[in-house]
Amino acid sequence: SRREREEEEEEEKPQVVQNEESEIITFEAMCNACGKEAVCNMKEVQIPFFKKILIMANVCDHCGFKDTEVKSAGGISEKGQRITLKMTDSDMDLDRDILKSE
């Protein structure tokens, strides 16, 4: 039946595995919009085919600004490489981190 096929497809999809040992860490940070005190929530998560990552969510109670970031939790792997890009157009916004799958 259709429901059985959908359940089988759900089982085949890789699932995000939360590190149960890693709790959500909450700490004070500075708001990127108004510069006042804000709250940052951070959690380590393992996504299939990726290394461990950190998910960070910043919330400012003063101005309402919200921001999220995803960062690699591990260092550069043994076979990792650094790619450097020389910018010729200063108006372009390429301030990005790249997370590549294994």
Side-chain angles (χ1 to χ4, degrees):
S1 75
R2 181 179 176 192
R3 182 175 172 92
E4 289 173 346
R5 283 192 304 255
E6 289 174 355
E7 288 176 1
E8 287 175 7
E9 288 175 6
E10 281 294 317
E11 289 176 8
E12 292 175 7
K13 291 180 184 176
Q15 300 294 319
V16 173
V17 179
Q18 293 193 22
N19 183 348
E20 298 300 328
E21 297 172 6
S22 172
E23 297 179 17
I24 295 174
I25 301 168
T26 301
F27 55 92
E28 294 177 3
M30 187 177 77
C31 176
N32 291 330
C34 72
K36 294 184 179 178
E37 187 177 293
V39 176
C40 181
N41 296 305
M42 181 174 66
K43 172 124 174 108
E44 185 178 277
V45 178
Q46 175 70 44
I47 297 180
F49 311 112
F50 282 85
K51 294 181 178 181
K52 290 181 183 175
I53 61 166
L54 294 176
I55 299 177
M56 295 177 280
N58 301 309
V59 179
C60 180
D61 291 333
H62 300 283
C63 70
F65 181 76
K66 295 179 182 180
D67 184 28
T68 58
E69 290 185 59
V70 177
K71 298 281 187 184
S72 175
I76 297 174
S77 65
E78 186 178 305
K79 295 183 179 181
Q81 66 183 26
R82 180 181 300 257
I83 299 172
T84 305
L85 176 67
K86 183 177 179 179
M87 295 296 300
T88 58
D89 184 353
S90 62
D91 293 333
M92 293 184 71
D93 176 20
L94 289 178
D95 186 16
R96 305 282 184 254
D97 290 331
I98 299 172
L99 298 176
K100 184 182 175 302
S101 64
E102 297 266 343

